[in-house]
């Protein structure tokens, strides 16, 4: 509204006689008196003014509201702070229907690739719907984004240096120069198992996300998208997703994951343990078969090599 009157926000608040008020607090909860005052001075109805605030958002979700524009739409004026994009699970401008840009100006189709992004959209939509209803206090009680984010950000394996697929190609000389980078232990979180698409594209040093709700509230555009996809995938099939993480965990990590799961509903936990032993057995069978296949392959290779050798000799 300040922009409409060609004023700065403090100037506009001064005009309204609200100079001492923090605009973020006004946006959070506008008292009836303040609503009436602004309505009288601007001609905007009190209902319309209340609709510009976050009054329907529960206190637990306040952490998710950005004080400034989070990710920017190139077609929106820089000084206009819209309500919908204040939440980290919004990835397109609702006015212009174009992708938000991150701090470096990149858009999700560039970072993830259009095909990957298209495949992830339905999970992101589910995740955003779960988050939206939670923020409005419509969640189904015990099991919601808070528990899911704690799970996604759990360290399921011990920290380890960048693996081969995470390292850029470099010569031996360069490798010596980058010794510190190559040996930096990277925190390994369940998010990488639930959303491997994120694991593949996120730069290794900024791959770890903050714990719990902070991961989403303070994450980059890519991190927020990955977490929203993760929440969508968990909401769609919690049992299968948890088992996937437990199978990929090391011993200490598995304990940490199980600790986090204690906050999940008993019915889901029972289904997880009922399916876990079978999944572990299948995994052992698969690993044994893989080992045997590798053995056969190297045997074959030896055979071929010895043949080639004999051929060359003759
Ligand atoms: Zn826009």
């Amino acid at each position: 509204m300040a922009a409409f009157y060609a004023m700065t926000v403090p100037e506009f608040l001064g005009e309204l006689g609200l100079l001492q008020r923090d605009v973020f607090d006004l946006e959070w909860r506008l008292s009836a008196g303040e609503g009436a005052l602004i309505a009288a001075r601007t001609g905007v109805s009190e209902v319309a003014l209340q609709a510009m605030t976050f009054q329907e958002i529960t206190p637990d979700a306040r952490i998710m509201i950005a004080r400034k524009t989070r990710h920017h739409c190139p077609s929106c004026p820089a000084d206009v702070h819209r309500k919908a994009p204040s939440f980290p699970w919004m990835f397109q401008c609702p006015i212009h229907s174009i992708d938000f840009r991150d701090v470096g100006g990149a858009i999700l189709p560039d970072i993830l690739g259009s095909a990957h992004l298209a495949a992830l959209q339905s999970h992101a939509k589910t995740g955003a719907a779960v988050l939206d209803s939670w923020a409005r206090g419509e969640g189904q009680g015990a099991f919601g984004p808070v528990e899911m984010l704690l799970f996604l950000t759990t360290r399921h394996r011990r920290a380890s240096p960048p693996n081969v697929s995470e390292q850029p190609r470099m010569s031996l000389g360069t490798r010596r120069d980058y010794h510190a980078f190559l040996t930096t232990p990277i925190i390994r979180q369940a998010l990488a198992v639930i959303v491997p698409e994120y694991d593949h594209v996120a730069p290794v040093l900024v791959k770890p996300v903050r714990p719990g709700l902070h991961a989403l509230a303070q994450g980059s555009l890519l991190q927020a998208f990955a977490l929203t996809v993760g929440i969508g995938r968990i909401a769609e099939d919690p049992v299968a997703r948890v088992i996937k993480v437990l199978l990929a965990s090391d011993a200490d990590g598995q304990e940490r994951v199980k600790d986090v799961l204690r906050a999940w509903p008993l019915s889901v936990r029972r289904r997880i343990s009922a399916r876990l032993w079978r999944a572990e057995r299948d995994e052992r069978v698969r690993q044994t078969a893989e080992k045997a296949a590798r053995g056969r392959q190297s045997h074959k290779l030896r055979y071929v090599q010895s043949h080639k050798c004999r051929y060359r000799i003759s």
Side-chain angles (χ1 to χ4, degrees), residues 72-77 82 92-98 100:
H72 73 279
C73 161
S75 298
C76 279
R82 295 196 197 282
Q92 277 199 336
C93 172
I95 310 287
H96 303 102
S97 301
I98 47 177
F100 282 141

Side-chain angles (χ1 to χ4, degrees), residues 150-164:
L150 276 172
F151 168 72
L152 284 168
T153 60
T154 302
R155 293 171 295 122
H156 74 295
R157 296 191 69 83
R158 80 172 62 84
S160 55
N163 59 43
V164 178

Side-chain angles (χ1 to χ4, degrees), residues 221-236:
L221 178 68
L222 175 63
Q223 289 174 342
F225 184 73
L227 291 159
T228 305
V229 167
I231 288 172
R233 281 183 169 156
I234 295 171
E236 287 154 2

